[in-house]
Amino acid sequence: MKGYNFGYLDEQTKRMIRRAILKAVAIPGHQVPFGSREMPLPYGWGTGGIQVTASVLGPGDTLKVIDQGADDTTNAVSIRRFFARTAGVRTTTHTEEASVIQTRHRIPERQLREDQILVYQVPQPEPLSRLEPSQAETKRLHALADYGLMQVKLYEDIARLGQVSISYDYPVMVNHRYLMSPSPIPAFDNPKMHGMPALQLFGAGREKRIYAIPPYTDVRSLDFDDHPFRATRAPHACGLCGATDSYLDEVVTDDRGGRLFVCSDTDYCASRRETTQAAAQ
Amino acid sequence: MNEPTLVSARGVSLAFGAIRALRDVELDLWPGEVLAIVGESGSGKTTLLNVVSGRLRPDDGAVWYRDPQGVLHDVHAMPDPALRRLHRSDWGFVHQNPRENLRMGVTAGGNVGERLMAQGARHYGDIRAAAIDWLEQVEIDPARIDDFPRTFSGGMLQRLQIARTLVTHPRLVFMDEPTGGLDVSVQARLLDLIRTLVARLRIAVMLVTHDIAVARLLAHRIVVMQGGRVVETGLTDQVLDDPQHAYTQLLVSSVLQA
Ligand SMILES: Nc1ncnc2c1ncn2[C@@H]1O[C@H](COP(=O)(O)OP(=O)(O)OP(=O)(O)O)[C@@H](O)[C@H]1O
Ligand SMILES: [Mg+2]
């Protein structure tokens, strides 16, 4: 596409973002401020993730974009199209073919590799924001690794509700040091972050923060010894591919209240169905 | 006393513009000792408490704290993380207004358990057991463990604050008018409770009060302040029964008249 630099952002901006990324990789889980640029998309459409993706993308890359696990939602389609036009990179819906995956709200079911980068879109990077409104204070709490307050929130859940009530954006400790928001992925996905071979980058456009989990980093969901973290999913098999290990969405199938549980990771579901079909033939 | 001091202030001065809130204050506190700071309003009691606890930096002088290993620390030269760690482990603070210290949106049990969790406690059952134990120690019905502080009376809030502070067995607790603003009958019960707890746990207390009766009941020793200076110091009974300084005599006699 004419009139734009490769990946839309100018090279100087990309260099600035790459410096922030390098810093973030060097201090796993620590939020690094960056000079977020105006993007031709509204906040909430993943402008932080898009800027990170634009800065790590090269001409040889293959990009996959998912939203809630699906490649075909408006948000995913428009971001994919955006980079196909501004960077001319190959795009794919297949997890194993992608070298860069930008995501909102999910981690692909298929195990990622060392040669892949997972870029998360982050609406609120500060895991303590709901407990401590002052940014100066949350900064200090991170500096001192003073996370008793977050543990109190978990205590309160168990005391009042019998269990931790956080099902999305479940806070994690990264590399035994920084408390981190994994973005609004389901708690089910949290264990996938632990020791992941792929580089994980997180971009928050409105809040102007970048953070990272380098490959093979220790990532633990907060819990109590006697109330260990558990990754829960709907107790069903996928209505399309029969998977019992994937995260499921409940979809309405007709106007008479018909419902079906299906894989939220559409590529995972499709590839499982192809495999079964191939085996049947 | 031959035992080494827990806290010592030497030549501490602090001015707020033209107001000389502290003037060349010297003070010692021994382990397990309750020291009352008395004096009229504006005499510098709260300012002294804040300087000794590291919350305010003096213009002159120094405050020394001896840690459990016997190492002396210049409180105002400590890096912020170390001072904060001290405040959430070895030290505690009891405010006049419990709402300043308690988390009003967190249950009684969560309030008591927070310092344990901040120190790394990660066993829910143990934290809860400690919270129940401490609610009992401050005479709050353990059945209230999952209730919010806003449903508590003023006296209960103050007792909850004490439980929240003492749960980690601090060696030194700073208290600023802990019974101020409470009914007389509620005050008496609270004072009794504080006296029993600090004696049993051998906690050193630096207690600010303008109430001579409170000092008499709780304190081993007394420091009398006037206009930012320490004008008299000594064993509580000696100072109150046989005050040497004219200002102390005035303070004591005004109580007798009341
Ligand atoms: N932050 C401040 N800025 C300016 N002046 C202050 C400040 N804090 C205290 N002062 C002044 O310093 C003096 C000592 O105040 P301080 O609060 O220590 O007195 P106090 O003995 O605790 O009195 P009270 O019994 O009323 O609580 C007073 O004249 C007060 O007005
Ligand atoms: Mg005061």
Side-chain angles (χ1 to χ4, degrees):
Chain A
M1 192 166 161
K2 286 197 194 84
Y4 289 110
N5 191 32
F6 177 84
Y8 183 79
L9 289 180
D10 60 87
E11 290 307 309
Q12 200 186 337
T13 301
K14 283 195 237 171
R15 271 197 296 276
M16 176 268 293
I17 293 174
R18 285 181 202 131
R19 274 197 297 273
I21 291 173
L22 285 174
K23 202 165 162 184
V25 169
I27 316 169
H30 171 63
Q31 300 166 47
V32 179
F34 78 109
S36 182
R37 291 287 186 267
E38 288 297 324
M39 297 297 284
L41 287 165
Y43 293 125
W45 279 68
T47 54
I50 290 170
Q51 291 177 79
V52 169
T53 298
S55 306
V56 298
L57 217 51
D61 272 310
T62 303
L63 178 69
K64 170 182 165 81
V65 182
I66 48 172
D67 177 17
Q68 314 268 4
D71 298 86
D72 56 2
T73 63
T74 321
N75 186 299
V77 170
S78 47
I79 293 173
R80 197 162 58 232
R81 203 174 285 153
F82 174 79
F83 281 113
R85 281 198 200 154
T86 59
V89 292
R90 275 190 52 195
T91 61
T92 182
T93 59
H94 297 304
T95 301
E96 77 275 18
E97 283 175 8
S99 54
V100 177
I101 302 171
Q102 180 170 329
T103 180
R104 186 171 86 143
H105 295 188
R106 277 309 311 277
I107 296 175
E109 304 289 359
R110 181 186 287 272
Q111 158 103 60
L112 299 180
R113 301 180 310 261
E114 282 181 0
D115 61 344
Q116 295 179 306
I117 298 176
L118 184 59
V119 178
Y120 297 75
Q121 300 172 202
V122 179
Q124 173 50 265
E126 179 48 67
L128 296 164
S129 66
R130 252 166 295 165
L131 303 172
E132 175 54 65
S134 155
Q135 273 201 27
E137 181 60 15
T138 56
K139 242 179 116 172
R140 204 170 301 134
L141 294 177
H142 283 296
L144 304 175
D146 187 351
Y147 298 132
L149 190 54
M150 192 74 234
Q151 204 72 30
V152 169
K153 149 83 178 133
L154 300 194
Y155 167 93
E156 291 287 291
D157 276 5
I158 299 172
R160 306 214 323 275
L161 313 162
Q163 60 184 36
V164 175
S165 69
I166 311 168
S167 46
Y168 290 89
D169 207 353
Y170 192 109
V172 293
M173 279 298 287
V174 177
N175 202 24
H176 311 282
R177 175 58 182 84
Y178 281 99
L179 183 72
M180 193 197 87
S181 155
S183 85
I185 58 172
F188 173 85
D189 281 342
N190 273 19
K192 295 180 187 152
M193 290 187 286
H194 173 66
M196 184 189 283
L199 170 63
Q200 301 173 74
L201 301 175
F202 299 77
R206 188 171 13 130
E207 305 287 333
K208 303 180 171 53
R209 291 285 185 280
I210 287 173
Y211 50 99
I213 305 175
Y216 304 110
T217 299
D218 193 280
V219 179
R220 305 280 171 185
S221 303
L222 286 197
D223 63 0
F224 288 98
D225 299 344
D226 50 343
H227 285 263
F229 171 85
R230 271 181 311 160
T232 53
R233 63 188 285 281
H236 302 281
C238 170
L240 297 176
C241 76
T244 53
D245 59 353
S246 64
Y247 191 73
L248 301 176
D249 284 336
E250 192 178 10
V251 293
V252 178
T253 51
D254 54 42
D255 55 8
R256 294 185 309 277
R259 278 161 198 285
L260 191 64
F261 283 96
V262 297
C263 290
S264 99
D265 183 337
T266 50
D267 172 60
Y268 181 74
C269 195
S271 65
R272 276 180 52 87
R273 276 175 285 152
E274 273 164 31
T275 317
T276 3
Q277 266 168 18
Q281 277 160 13
Chain B
M1 291 196 213
N2 292 322
E3 202 183 351
T5 58
L6 185 65
V7 171
S8 298
R10 289 291 172 266
V12 167
S13 297
L14 176 60
F16 298 108
I19 301 169
R20 300 176 69 185
L22 296 177
R23 304 196 219 182
D24 200 20
V25 171
E26 309 265 319
L27 173 147
D28 290 299
L29 178 63
W30 277 270
E33 181 187 43
V34 179
L35 178 71
I37 317 290
V38 302
E40 66 190 351
S41 180
S43 57
K45 305 183 297 292
T46 296
T47 306
L48 180 59
L49 198 70
N50 286 333
V51 167
V52 171
S53 63
R55 289 153 42 121
L56 263 184
R57 183 172 292 278
D59 299 331
D60 258 314
V63 177
W64 299 91
Y65 168 68
R66 194 181 306 274
D67 72 18
Q69 284 73 45
V71 180
L72 273 178
H73 300 271
D74 177 344
V75 168
H76 297 278
M78 283 173 89
D80 189 41
L83 188 61
R84 277 209 166 206
R85 221 174 296 125
L86 203 56
H87 268 285
R88 67 183 199 222
S89 55
D90 281 12
W91 291 4
F93 223 107
V94 173
H95 296 259
Q96 173 172 352
N97 178 2
R99 288 177 183 81
E100 272 181 37
N101 190 357
L102 293 169
R103 294 191 188 280
M104 299 307 279
V106 167
T107 61
N111 266 290
V112 178
E114 180 170 352
R115 273 170 74 105
L116 292 172
M117 290 182 250
Q119 288 188 8
R122 291 294 179 266
H123 191 283
Y124 176 83
D126 291 352
I127 294 162
R128 207 153 163 88
I132 288 171
D133 176 44
W134 269 98
L135 289 177
E136 275 171 346
Q137 293 205 46
V138 299
E139 298 164 14
I140 294 175
D141 181 356
R144 304 291 303 268
I145 186 167
D146 295 330
D147 291 352
F148 289 104
R150 70 178 117 81
T151 66
F152 287 15
S153 70
M156 284 171 79
L157 286 178
Q158 198 52 290
R159 280 180 275 135
L160 184 62
Q161 185 189 191
I162 289 167
R164 169 179 165 85
T165 307
L166 298 191
V167 66
T168 51
H169 295 273
R171 303 169 71 215
L172 168 60
V173 175
F174 301 92
M175 299 188 183
D176 195 351
E177 308 274 6
T179 58
L182 295 173
D183 291 347
V184 177
S185 62
V186 177
Q187 268 193 35
R189 185 171 166 206
L190 187 62
L191 288 170
D192 212 43
L193 182 75
I194 293 175
R195 187 171 57 168
T196 315
L197 287 175
V198 300
R200 178 148 49 81
L201 300 168
R202 268 193 44 89
I203 296 170
V205 178
M206 193 171 156
L207 169 81
V208 162
T209 180
H210 62 264
D211 187 339
I212 298 287
V214 169
R216 193 187 277 284
L217 189 70
L218 291 182
H220 302 118
R221 278 194 314 126
I222 253 185
V223 165
V224 183
M225 293 194 68
Q226 182 194 22
R229 286 186 210 279
V230 172
V231 294
E232 188 161 357
T233 176
L235 294 175
T236 305
D237 291 344
Q238 272 174 21
V239 171
L240 296 185
D241 295 343
D242 185 19
Q244 300 299 307
H245 194 274
Y247 177 72
T248 317
Q249 289 166 2
L250 197 71
L251 268 186
V252 173
S253 63
S254 63
V255 167
L256 292 179
Q257 285 160 11

